[in-house]
Structures are given as structure tokens and as C-alpha cells.
Amino acid sequence: KVPTTHLIQYFSVFRSKGLSVIHFYADWSEPCQHMNNILEDLASENEFRNIKIAKCLAEDFAEISLKYNVSAVPKFIMFRNGVQVDVLDGADPIQLNKKIQALLTKNDKTEQKVEDINLRLKSLVNSAPVLLFMKGSKSEPKCKFSTAIVNLLNDIGAEFSTFDILQDQVVREKLKIYSNWPTYPQLYINGELIGGLDIVKELKENGKLNDLLKLENSKANLNDRLKLLIHKADVMAFIKGNKQVARCGFSNQLIQILNQTGIDYETFDILSDEEVRQGLKVYSDWPTYPQVYVKGSLIGGLDIIKELRESGELIATLKGEI
């Protein structure tokens, strides 16, 4: 039910995280009483369970009412994370419901966007056994710190892939939050953050870096790695982005077609690994992306997939029956 709060609780609600709705009302007003009943009904519904709802006697707390320009009641003010985001004047339950629903939908989309970014970053940091996020590439570092860590890894014979953060501003900014590490370069081994240049230097000096890299077991050449990748799933699509967020028109078209077949498939983001991006074109003798593999055999790119769909052979091909 809608709680009766005192002044300290009001300020707590104003500063709370998530969505909050404050009803400025008067005891003597019948429309206000009606809207209080509406709020009680809303608070009892599952879809509104995470909303903080409070009511404030406008005349008793004149300073608060003045601050939020409450000149008539009922008045509803909506906050997100303590910041005012919407307002409704008058006893209009339909509009109140619409405004709250709109704010909830916006919040869901924001949360989904964060979730999508985190999924992409998780996929990215696990896209190679040893992955260095840096400015530039291993062949052309673009800052002294990136140059230093590349030289260090090369000196000990480490096999590693790189991701150029200068080419992707979203990854550049969000990975710092995801990893809770504010600077670059960042070195990951088997999806786990090792650290930046200073940490890697220290690990080299105390002899622990070789153990982490397991150099004696990581000498497989690029072709061996590519062979493992194309056999990772029965159907593998090498695209720009992933099945949740394609990052070019051709990749997006391919994902839409594959989704329509209902057949399970996995993706590899070629933007996450320049070595795979360039090496697979040579390995497959196919110069462009996307590329689709079935049980390790190249089927082709988007045009081939479209032709197979039009001929009615796509599903059988993806199942390995043709």
C-alpha cells in the first residue's frame, strides 16, 4: 500500500535509485482521495512492484511543495534516480498510468542496452586465449604504453591477439566499467583481466607471466586456431558484431535469415580479433564477410545464403544434409 511518510522519508524517496512517484495531495480533496486509491491499486500490481510510491500533504510541507511548483492538487511528480523526469497535474488515472508505463519502458530499454553491451564485452574478452586491448595493433601501436606492452609480450614469445580501442568508442569507454580498470592497455588471459602495463611488467619480473600465458602449450599456429573456431559449433557465422547486435548491414541481413530458420548457430565477431579477421580470409580463400560454416566446411557469404534460401535448400544445408 502507499505509505504515509514523514519529511525524512520524502527526502529518502527523492534521492532513491530507480523510479519514484510522489503524490502531492490534500486530505479535504475528494479527487486526491480517489487518486490515492488508484495509486494503491497500481502498487499492488506486479509490473509496478519496483516503483517507490509516496504521498505528501502539500499544505503541511509547503517548502517541498514550493520547490516542485505545486500550486494545485492532486499533482504527481516522477523521479528517476532522484532526478525529476515527468509531472502530471490533476486527477487523471489514465494519463498517470500511461506516464508510468512510458518511464518503465524507457528504463527497460536502458537496462537491456547495458545488458547487451556487457554481453558483447564478455564475448569480446573471451574471443582469444590472450587478448590485449590497446591503442593500435601489435604491428602498429599508437601510444608509448601500448608499444611497451607489445614489445614485452613479443620479447617472451607470447602469442596474443589485439583489439584497437581507437576503432570502437563504445568498447573503449564501457570496458573500463566492465573491468573496473580505468586505463589502457588491458591484458586478458582466458577472459580474465590480468592488468595493465605495470602489472604485466611486475609479473614478468617475478617469473609469473610465463606461467599465466602457459607458453609451452600455446604454440598452436593460426591455422590450428582457425580450425578450432570453425568447428566451435555445427553452424558458425563469422560476422561484424554478434547475433544480438550486428554491426553492419550484411551481417544484420545474415542474422535475420539464420534466425528465421530456427536452427541453432554461433557467431564470432571479427571486429574483436584482427588476426582472425585477416587470417580466415586466407584460410577459407574467401575475401569478404560474413562467412558461414557448417560442421567446419565453408558454405559461403550472404549471397550464397540468400540463393540457398530462395532454392529451398538452406535448412537442409545448415543441417549438414546436403
Side-chain angles (χ1 to χ4, degrees), residues 6 15 32 48 83 96 119-120 136 169 176 186 198 200 218 224 235 273 275 287 298-299 322:
H6 52 70
R15 293 194 298 265
C32 287
F48 298 119
V83 178
L96 179 62
L119 284 173
R120 183 185 168 209
Q169 192 63 26
K176 292 188 288 187
Q186 294 183 17
D198 290 340
V200 174
S218 64
D224 288 336
V235 180
D273 194 316
E275 187 176 48
L298 175 67
I299 301 303
I322 296 180

Side-chain angles (χ1 to χ4, degrees), residues 135-316:
K135 294 180 179 178
S137 63
K138 65 168 71 176
S139 60
E140 192 177 352
K142 293 185 178 179
C143 79
K144 63 180 182 180
F145 303 110
S146 295
T147 299
I149 197 167
V150 165
N151 289 339
L152 185 154
L153 292 171
N154 284 334
D155 287 346
I156 63 174
E159 294 184 4
F160 63 100
S161 301
T162 61
F163 184 95
D164 184 359
I165 59 169
L166 298 178
Q167 300 300 315
D168 194 317
Q169 192 63 26
V170 173
V171 170
R172 182 177 183 177
E173 295 303 321
K174 299 303 181 181
L175 185 62
K176 292 188 288 187
I177 300 171
Y178 179 87
S179 65
N180 196 26
W181 195 270
T183 59
Y184 291 101
Q186 294 183 17
L187 181 67
Y188 288 77
I189 297 177
N190 295 324
E192 298 292 331
L193 174 67
I194 302 303
L197 176 60
D198 290 340
I199 298 294
V200 174
K201 279 183 176 179
E202 183 179 333
L203 289 169
K204 181 188 177 185
E205 290 169 1
N206 63 27
K208 294 180 179 179
L209 184 57
N210 281 7
D211 291 335
L212 286 171
L213 292 169
K214 298 179 181 177
L215 295 180
E216 68 278 8
N217 297 321
S218 64
K219 296 299 183 181
N221 61 30
L222 177 59
N223 283 351
D224 288 336
R225 185 178 170 219
L226 294 173
K227 185 176 180 179
L228 289 172
L229 279 174
I230 64 176
H231 285 88
K232 185 178 178 182
D234 284 348
V235 180
M236 279 293 297
F238 291 79
I239 67 173
K240 293 180 179 179
N242 55 51
K243 63 171 67 177
Q244 288 82 26
V245 184
R247 300 184 62 210
C248 81
F250 302 115
S251 295
N252 185 58
Q253 289 182 59
L254 177 67
I255 293 304
Q256 296 301 320
I257 293 172
L258 292 178
N259 286 343
Q260 289 169 6
T261 67
I263 293 176
D264 290 337
Y265 67 96
E266 297 293 332
T267 61
F268 183 93
D269 183 1
I270 60 169
L271 298 178
S272 70
D273 194 316
E274 190 64 21
E275 187 176 48
V276 170
R277 182 178 185 178
Q278 300 305 327
L280 188 60
K281 291 189 289 186
V282 177
Y283 181 88
S284 64
D285 195 24
W286 193 273
T288 60
Y289 290 100
Q291 294 183 18
V292 177
Y293 291 77
V294 173
K295 297 181 178 178
S297 296
L298 175 67
I299 301 303
L302 177 61
D303 289 341
I304 299 295
I305 296 299
K306 285 182 174 179
E307 289 177 10
L308 290 169
R309 180 183 63 175
E310 291 169 3
S311 68
E313 299 176 324
L314 179 58
I315 292 179

Side-chain angles (χ1 to χ4, degrees), residues 48-209:
F48 298 119
R49 65 186 181 277
N50 293 324
I51 301 176
K52 297 178 180 64
I53 301 177
K55 57 183 182 179
C56 175
L57 281 166
E59 293 173 341
D60 288 359
F61 297 108
E63 289 186 8
I64 296 177
S65 298
L66 182 62
K67 178 178 180 180
Y68 292 102
N69 299 315
V70 180
S71 57
V73 292
K75 181 165 187 167
F76 302 86
I77 300 181
M78 284 137 273
F79 299 82
R80 192 192 306 282
N81 300 328
V83 178
Q84 182 176 332
V85 291
D86 207 346
V87 63
L88 174 67
D89 290 294
D92 191 335
I94 295 176
Q95 280 301 313
L96 179 62
N97 198 332
K98 284 183 177 180
K99 284 180 177 289
I100 294 176
Q101 289 279 11
L103 290 170
L104 284 174
T105 301
K106 184 177 180 180
N107 188 53
D108 288 343
K109 289 180 179 179
T110 300
E111 290 178 353
Q112 182 62 45
K113 185 176 180 181
V114 172
E115 183 179 351
D116 289 343
I117 291 170
N118 286 340
L119 284 173
R120 183 185 168 209
L121 293 175
K122 183 178 180 180
S123 174
L124 197 52
V125 300
N126 283 281
S127 62
V130 182
L131 182 59
L132 178 66
F133 291 83
M134 57 177 285
K135 294 180 179 178
S137 63
K138 65 168 71 176
S139 60
E140 192 177 352
K142 293 185 178 179
C143 79
K144 63 180 182 180
F145 303 110
S146 295
T147 299
I149 197 167
V150 165
N151 289 339
L152 185 154
L153 292 171
N154 284 334
D155 287 346
I156 63 174
E159 294 184 4
F160 63 100
S161 301
T162 61
F163 184 95
D164 184 359
I165 59 169
L166 298 178
Q167 300 300 315
D168 194 317
Q169 192 63 26
V170 173
V171 170
R172 182 177 183 177
E173 295 303 321
K174 299 303 181 181
L175 185 62
K176 292 188 288 187
I177 300 171
Y178 179 87
S179 65
N180 196 26
W181 195 270
T183 59
Y184 291 101
Q186 294 183 17
L187 181 67
Y188 288 77
I189 297 177
N190 295 324
E192 298 292 331
L193 174 67
I194 302 303
L197 176 60
D198 290 340
I199 298 294
V200 174
K201 279 183 176 179
E202 183 179 333
L203 289 169
K204 181 188 177 185
E205 290 169 1
N206 63 27
K208 294 180 179 179
L209 184 57

Side-chain angles (χ1 to χ4, degrees), residues 13-33:
V13 170
F14 293 144
R15 293 194 298 265
S16 64
K17 292 183 178 180
L19 186 62
S20 305
V21 180
I22 314 296
H23 177 204
F24 288 87
Y25 76 107
D27 279 334
W28 45 264
S29 168
E30 289 187 8
C32 287
Q33 297 304 319

